[in-house]
Structures are given as structure tokens and as C-alpha cells.
Amino acid sequence: MSNSLTHILSNECPVCHKGKVFTDRNIFLSFGLPKMNEYCSHCNYKFQKEPGYFFGAMYVNYGLTVAQGIATYCIAQFFFEKNFDLRIIPIIAVVITLLTSFNLRFSRLAWIYMFKDYTK
């Protein structure tokens, strides 16, 4: 599991771990919509198997975003006197907005890694 997570965060091909899934080398500091390579440059593995292949990645993205929102709330609540201060909502919105590009890339990579053995 930790080995797969390392490969996911390195944007590596799920089969050979040498090619890159996204054209951007770094999935952390990229803004805008992700551009995926169609095939791995090293082993020729096809990343997008069929139209709609990444619809399931939306659920991974949703879960990741909810977890980040809850974590942001848990951290931010210590800086306010009330239990639920409405000023926390914009903080959560800013954090989620800043992490959107990373979440989209990470969820697609996680989806590819989850089903790499089933779709060859």
C-alpha cells in the first residue's frame, strides 16, 4: 500500500513505474485541468480504457475533498472561541479550492491503480 502511494504521488505508470500518467511532472503544484498521456511512454499501457472510465474517480475525489474539509474544520476550530464560527466556512472553501487540482490528479491516479490488474 505505501509503495503504491509512493508511485501515485510520483505520477508513475501503474505497470512499469517508469512512464508518467500526466504530462505535468509534478502533481502537487499544477494548476488547471490535468492533461493525461494516452499511453505510457515506456510500456505502452493505455491509461484511459474507455469513455467514462474516470467517472468512478469522482467518488474518490469527493471522499478526499470531504476528508480535507473535515480536517480543515478540526484544525481551524481551535483558533475560534465558538464551537462553530461562520468564519470557518470561507477558510474551508479556500483550502478545498486550492487543493482541487491535486485532488483531481490524485483521484485519477488512485483509480488507475485500483483497477490496473483488471483492465489490461
Side-chain angles (χ1 to χ4, degrees):
M1 175 78 176
S2 64
N3 196 20
S4 291
L5 187 60
T6 304
H7 292 301
I8 288 173
L9 294 175
S10 298
N11 185 24
E12 295 174 351
C13 172
V15 176
C16 68
H17 304 298
K18 294 181 181 172
K20 298 295 182 185
V21 177
F22 289 98
T23 56
D24 331 348
R25 295 291 178 204
N26 188 353
I27 67 167
F28 297 106
L29 297 173
S30 299
F31 296 104
L33 291 175
K35 293 180 179 123
M36 291 183 63
N37 294 319
E38 191 173 344
Y39 294 95
C40 176
S41 60
H42 189 263
C43 68
N44 210 26
Y45 179 76
K46 186 174 182 180
F47 296 125
Q48 185 168 351
K49 302 298 179 192
E50 59 189 21
Y53 177 69
F54 291 111
F55 282 153
M58 290 188 306
Y59 295 108
V60 175
N61 189 353
Y62 176 74
L64 188 61
T65 303
V66 168
Q68 290 166 346
I70 291 171
T72 302
Y73 170 75
C74 291
I75 293 169
Q77 75 174 347
F78 293 114
F79 297 100
F80 297 97
E81 293 177 14
K82 295 182 192 175
N83 268 353
F84 187 75
D85 196 334
L86 291 178
R87 293 177 290 180
I88 294 176
I89 294 173
I91 294 170
I92 294 171
V94 166
V95 169
I96 288 174
T97 302
L98 290 175
L99 291 174
T100 299
S101 180
F102 168 76
N103 289 348
L104 187 60
R105 287 170 175 78
F106 183 83
S107 64
R108 283 189 174 199
L109 282 164
W111 191 255
I112 289 173
Y113 270 77
M114 280 192 279
F115 296 104
K116 70 179 177 182
D117 295 331
Y118 300 112
T119 56
K120 294 223 177 193

